[in-house]
Amino acid sequence: MTTPADTTSTTSTATPSTLLRIGLLGTGPWARNTQAPALAAHPGVELSGAWGRRAEAAEALAAAHGTRAYTGEAGIDALLEASDAVAFALPPDIQAPLAVRAAEAGCHLLMDKPVATTVDGARAVAEAAEKAGVASVVFCTLRFAPETTAWIAEQTAVGGWFTARAQWLGSLYAEGSASEYADSPWRREKGGLWDVGPHALSVLIPVLGEVEHLTAARGPADTTHLILRHTSGASSTVTLGLSAPPAAAGMDIEVRGEHGTAAVPDWDGAEPAFRGAVDALAEAVRTGVPHACDARFGLRLTELLAEAETQAGR
């Protein structure tokens, strides 16, 4: 394990300027299954290290991908110093203050959704990124998977949409589920609204326009129903949950309007989508042009989800 005392200086470990050095904060299933493999294999990236609260987990993840392990408070600072950007695989309300810390250290931000589960937490991240002048991307999967990215752009260009329907029902907490993601305390506490809600909203908003009115109601278990009115004049309905029976689980998003009906296509998993998010961050770093799904957008998602949570009485 690399500790702060034996960390080599950033000068001696510098890589060619064409590579973006990205450190990874977190060692859980999301980091192991998606983020670390995508970062380690990306031709434009050097995985500059992996930080975890448990030293053994950080060491295992780092060894699997040929990078350095960091742990402890001082290890966070050491990883930030060795990185141009940081990716987060942490619970949202741990992510948010660390993202502020990373921005203040001059690191670009590749965050998971939601940025935070409080508006104040998400606002602090957006303001810190803006003040520091760092690029930011919030990884909402459908905004970066090649198949769905193209679909969103196509439907946005077509326009004339009248209404839309989005359903995202998982069976994470259904009887008999063996998913390792079910062990996540924040998901169990906040439910589908906060876990899969950002995905649905990240598709509907670019296609139909900003949400100008929201109504929310509780459904069975952790299910939440939303009715949205958008600035385009279109309306949409959204159903979100993580406790559906396995036979009822699934995701579909459909828009209807002047030109007929369009349904979001299937996509090839989270890892290719995460590579797309890395590309988007690199482009924002290179050009200085903010990505549409940046920390400010992450703040807006948090505002909408917090309003829905209040209305639904969760």
Side-chain angles (χ1 to χ4, degrees):
M1 181 188 73
T2 299
T3 62
D6 62 16
T7 300
T8 307
S9 71
T10 55
T11 300
S12 62
T13 61
T15 56
S17 59
T18 54
L19 293 181
L20 187 66
R21 299 173 303 164
I22 302 182
L24 177 59
L25 291 166
T27 58
W30 194 237
R32 295 195 308 269
N33 298 337
T34 299
Q35 295 182 329
L39 291 169
H42 197 290
V45 167
E46 178 197 350
L47 178 56
S48 50
W51 176 90
R53 285 170 287 186
R54 294 186 299 111
E56 61 272 23
E59 289 168 356
L61 187 64
H65 298 286
T67 190
R68 299 182 174 189
Y70 297 83
T71 193
E73 281 295 308
I76 295 173
D77 293 327
L79 180 57
L80 295 180
E81 185 178 355
S83 305
D84 304 309
V86 284
F88 294 85
L90 295 168
D93 293 326
I94 295 174
Q95 169 179 249
L98 287 178
V100 171
R101 185 168 165 182
E104 291 173 346
C107 290
H108 307 289
L109 308 174
L110 180 48
M111 294 173 286
D112 200 10
K113 56 73 206 163
V115 170
T117 65
T118 67
V119 173
D120 286 346
R123 182 177 294 113
V125 175
E127 291 178 349
E130 185 174 350
K131 182 177 179 180
V134 299
S136 61
V137 163
V138 179
F139 181 46
C140 294
T141 307
L142 300 186
R143 291 293 288 269
F144 299 101
E147 303 87 347
T148 52
T149 297
W151 185 88
I152 291 168
E154 180 182 354
Q155 309 322 316
T156 302
V158 167
W161 299 112
F162 182 72
T163 190
R165 174 183 55 83
Q167 289 193 119
W168 200 307
L169 292 172
S171 57
L172 202 62
Y173 299 121
E175 184 177 353
S177 171
S179 172
E180 58 186 338
Y181 295 100
D183 293 331
S184 167
W186 83 265
R187 283 186 176 87
R188 186 171 291 277
E189 177 189 355
K190 305 302 283 188
L193 174 66
W194 287 91
D195 187 27
V196 296
H199 292 311
L201 291 172
S202 76
V203 174
L204 295 174
I205 289 173
V207 175
L208 303 181
E210 179 56 84
V211 176
E212 59 181 17
H213 186 268
L214 177 154
T215 302
R218 295 184 65 163
D222 74 309
T223 306
T224 303
H225 301 281
L226 309 179
I227 301 173
L228 310 175
R229 185 173 68 236
H230 299 265
T231 51
S232 66
S235 64
S236 62
T237 60
V238 185
T239 299
L240 309 162
L242 298 176
S243 304
M251 187 283 296
D252 62 276
I253 300 175
E254 178 187 82
V255 292
R256 291 174 174 267
E258 297 172 2
H259 306 287
T261 302
V264 73
D266 292 334
W267 68 95
D268 188 25
E271 188 177 335
F274 191 75
R275 290 198 298 268
V278 174
D279 292 339
L281 182 69
E283 180 71 6
V285 170
R286 184 184 68 82
T287 64
V289 178
H291 190 273
C293 202
D294 65 358
R296 280 286 168 191
F297 185 71
L299 168 59
R300 182 56 182 149
L301 292 179
T302 302
E303 290 172 339
L304 292 169
L305 296 171
E307 181 181 350
E309 183 177 61
T310 298
Q311 287 193 25
R314 295 205 172 273

